[in-house]
Amino acid sequence: MESELERIRAASSEEAARRIARLYARRHKRDPDLVEVLGLARRLWRGGGAEKSAAIEMVVTLDRHLGAEHWSQFRQWIQGRVSKEHADEIAIQILGAIVTRDRTFVRVLRHWALSAKPAIRRAAVLGVFRRARQMGDVEAAISVCEPLMRDR
């Protein structure tokens, strides 16, 4: 894991860091608990912009294996100090994957839509987008967006 971390940090560009992270995640896609991959992603998340992008790429590569037990980690990533681009990518790609598989998280996103923080409200809308698009669950999208439509 240390050598991968060093390779990602030494990458010449953000795209190169993402590519290395993606390859690393693919090599570990058969690991049932994702402990090693998510551990490296957490360490990368503490770094700068390219490292954060690599962490997101690593997790997105394995999004089929994410479940309810991973929600809190990525919620913390969105609620922390993060760029709008990174927050959007986490909401759409990572949280969206969890919401697509488990509709109970729509209720959480409805609660987020009532947040005083614009970034959290934005994440709520983006988090339900994938479910609405892939599964045609327009009702879920409306239930999350409805409080925002009343907000002026």
Side-chain angles (χ1 to χ4, degrees):
M1 182 171 16
E2 284 300 316
S3 64
E4 294 299 329
L5 181 64
E6 292 168 12
R7 284 183 62 214
I8 291 168
R9 286 183 172 158
S12 60
S13 67
E14 183 175 318
E15 188 52 42
R18 282 180 174 267
R19 189 172 40 256
I20 294 167
R22 190 171 38 251
L23 291 171
Y24 175 79
R26 285 182 183 151
R27 283 196 310 266
H28 289 83
K29 70 181 178 184
R30 297 198 192 280
D31 295 348
D33 55 9
L34 305 178
V35 170
E36 191 171 329
V37 173
L38 292 177
L40 181 55
R42 275 191 291 276
R43 290 181 68 190
L44 287 167
W45 188 254
R46 293 183 209 127
E51 290 179 29
K52 282 182 175 15
S53 294
I56 293 169
E57 188 70 34
M58 191 176 290
V59 174
V60 167
T61 302
L62 300 172
D63 70 351
R64 281 181 236 128
H65 304 288
L66 297 176
E69 66 275 15
H70 302 111
W71 182 270
S72 64
Q73 176 179 343
F74 304 114
R75 181 193 68 220
Q76 290 171 354
W77 285 13
I78 283 180
Q79 292 175 337
R81 301 182 90 199
V82 62
S83 72
K84 187 184 286 189
E85 291 80 15
H86 285 142
D88 289 354
E89 193 172 0
I90 294 165
I92 293 169
Q93 299 289 348
I94 299 173
L95 298 180
I98 296 170
V99 172
T100 298
R101 275 190 301 289
D102 187 349
R103 194 178 199 285
T104 60
F105 282 100
V106 172
R107 187 173 20 125
V108 175
L109 295 178
R110 271 190 243 132
H111 178 71
W112 284 18
L114 300 172
S115 175
K117 298 178 182 176
I120 301 301
R121 292 194 307 266
R122 180 182 176 94
V125 172
L126 295 174
V128 77
F129 179 76
R130 185 170 171 171
R131 181 178 182 86
R133 185 175 174 120
Q134 287 183 358
M135 301 180 79
D137 192 352
V138 177
E139 181 185 321
I142 290 172
S143 73
V144 170
C145 295
E146 193 171 33
L148 297 169
M149 290 185 273
R150 288 189 223 128
D151 188 21
R152 291 189 181 237

